[in-house]
Amino acid sequence: TALWRAYRRAGEWEPRVAMLDAVLLVVADASEQAELLGEAAKLQEEKAAAPSAALGSLCTAVSLEPRRRDRRAELVRVADRAEGWLDAALALRAAAASFADDPSSAAELRRDEARLLEAKLDDYAGAFEAFKAAAELMPEDAVTLTHAARCAAHAAMWKDWAKATVATAVILGRLDPTLVQASEHAARETDAWQELASALAGALGRREGELPPPVASKIHGLIAEWHRDRTGDAEAAKVAAQRAIELTPDDVAALERLVTLQRSAPGPELADTLLRVDAVGDERSLDALREAAAVTLETDPARAVKVLRRLYRKASDLWLAGGQASGGESVEAVADWALDQLSDKLLEVREREGAAHLL
């Protein structure tokens, strides 16, 4: 080391670079070794025009003294010059392993590794693994989990994306729309909607009880929409949409989603959902009740009389109050239609009763 210092005083850089390995063998202190390596890296980059050699020195220096953020920043900078991003990422990973008793610092290093893999190498699978490792070290870190989920989506790792997305929702108490957008973009490119929907349903099923009901309902609704619009699995869409309503019975948007699915086979279930929409939705809207009346007229004439009476009363009340319906038809038109249909149905009932009496 004395000779090294002498060359330093003399401004001689080549002998110092040449004797680096020998000097490191006689220096026991890790911090001093790291300083020598940092000095050598500067010489290798600036004097010898050898950024790859400088990167190697910095990789070793970071492993010896991983807490030095300035040296880690230097490592990343030189990695850019040498295009040695994988070496830098591996050095950061190795440094993280030295923080067995300091999960926060270890997580920071794994995040730095992940950013290199993602930004410089487009290695989304590797970046996911690094972000995931960081998140496991800091379980309440929603930001790192969000990054992990985003990278999993880019890598088409659907189960990993779903698990991280649901875990993020558990921490935040909401579904992050950016993660939905990332997954939809990736699924669109590979037509992987079935895999995406199935993965999210599985992850949600395992942790639904940890989520606020509105958040779980929203995720079920998203699954329903993917099946409805992308996979063509109407039955799976109905199951998810129904579960969303079970969690949030007064959610008009969730009810209307189920209505769109039930219209393919109009029946009592569709009428029930429409009547629920009418009960909890816009007080000035007659559309849901009008449609429920039309459905029951075709499928359940006896029930249709009750629904028509309800529709006529609601339309008449709005009409007498001078209000306007917020839906597609005017109050007057709906009231007239309901009265006409109700009259026809009551007449049919009386005719049947009269025929039975004659018999």
Side-chain angles (χ1 to χ4, degrees):
T1 58
L3 185 58
W4 176 284
R5 288 192 293 271
Y7 281 129
R8 181 193 293 154
R9 286 192 298 271
E12 297 287 338
W13 66 268
E14 289 177 304
R16 277 184 284 163
V17 171
M19 66 186 300
L20 176 63
D21 290 340
V23 172
L24 291 175
L25 289 175
V26 299
V27 174
D29 182 69
S31 178
E32 188 177 350
Q33 287 180 333
E35 286 295 332
L36 290 169
L37 285 160
E39 182 180 340
K42 187 176 179 66
L43 296 173
Q44 289 163 329
E45 181 188 9
E46 296 179 358
K47 300 296 186 179
S52 293
L55 177 62
S57 295
L58 286 170
C59 286
T60 305
V62 167
S63 70
L64 290 168
E65 201 172 27
R67 293 190 183 277
R68 286 277 299 272
R69 287 191 175 91
D70 59 333
R71 186 162 287 138
R72 281 157 28 201
E74 188 72 358
L75 171 71
V76 173
R77 185 191 65 77
V78 174
D80 275 338
R81 285 203 62 193
E83 297 187 355
W85 301 294
L86 181 57
D87 288 339
L90 292 175
L92 292 169
R93 183 188 306 175
S98 67
F99 286 110
D101 58 345
D102 186 354
S104 177
S105 296
E108 181 181 348
L109 283 158
R110 294 308 303 263
R111 286 192 297 270
D112 289 344
E113 172 201 344
R115 293 187 187 99
L116 273 179
L117 293 171
E118 179 186 4
K120 300 300 184 179
L121 297 171
D122 290 335
D123 181 2
Y124 291 106
F128 163 76
E129 293 296 343
F131 277 129
K132 176 188 173 187
E136 289 172 347
L137 289 163
M138 304 294 288
E140 298 303 312
D141 184 355
V143 173
T144 298
L145 265 176
T146 298
H147 288 310
R150 178 177 47 75
C151 289
H154 279 291
M157 300 165 66
W158 304 120
K159 290 183 179 179
D160 292 309
W161 169 83
K163 184 177 179 181
T165 296
V166 172
T168 301
V170 168
I171 295 171
L172 297 176
R174 60 179 175 81
L175 178 62
D176 187 333
T178 65
L179 298 183
V180 176
Q181 292 164 8
S183 68
E184 290 181 332
H185 177 76
R188 192 176 296 113
E189 290 185 342
T190 58
D191 194 25
W193 295 102
Q194 183 63 56
E195 294 87 342
L196 177 61
S198 297
L200 185 54
L204 177 59
R206 288 186 289 274
R207 302 197 68 176
E208 182 179 293
E210 301 173 61
L211 290 164
V215 177
S217 175
K218 185 172 185 176
I219 299 174
H220 279 294
L222 180 63
I223 295 167
E225 290 172 3
W226 284 342
H227 281 303
R228 181 192 67 196
D229 301 333
R230 302 296 183 175
T231 73
D233 189 340
E235 189 56 37
K238 287 180 183 177
V239 169
Q242 186 64 56
R243 179 57 184 154
I245 292 170
E246 290 170 1
L247 290 164
T248 52
D250 295 342
D251 185 340
V252 175
L255 289 163
E256 290 177 341
R257 183 190 300 116
L258 183 58
V259 165
T260 64
L261 294 165
Q262 292 174 330
R263 282 184 179 132
S264 62
E269 295 83 3
L270 173 57
D272 289 342
T273 308
L274 287 164
L275 291 171
R276 185 64 186 163
V277 171
D278 176 67
V280 301
D282 185 353
E283 293 180 353
R284 297 182 302 110
S285 176
L286 299 169
D287 289 352
L289 194 51
R290 166 73 166 77
E291 186 177 352
V295 171
T296 54
L297 280 169
E298 295 294 328
T299 61
D300 190 350
R303 188 183 189 190
V305 172
K306 296 179 181 179
V307 178
L308 285 165
R309 282 176 173 156
R310 175 172 160 180
L311 175 60
Y312 179 69
R313 283 196 299 269
K314 183 174 182 178
S316 298
D317 290 345
L318 276 172
W319 193 355
L320 291 172
Q324 294 294 318
S326 61
E329 293 186 75
S330 68
V331 173
E332 298 91 338
V334 174
D336 287 343
W337 179 85
L339 185 58
D340 289 344
Q341 296 297 324
L342 186 57
S343 298
D344 290 344
K345 281 299 168 188
L346 291 174
L347 182 58
E348 288 176 15
V349 171
R350 283 196 292 271
E351 288 176 350
R352 284 197 300 271
E353 288 176 349
H357 178 71
L358 290 174
L359 291 172

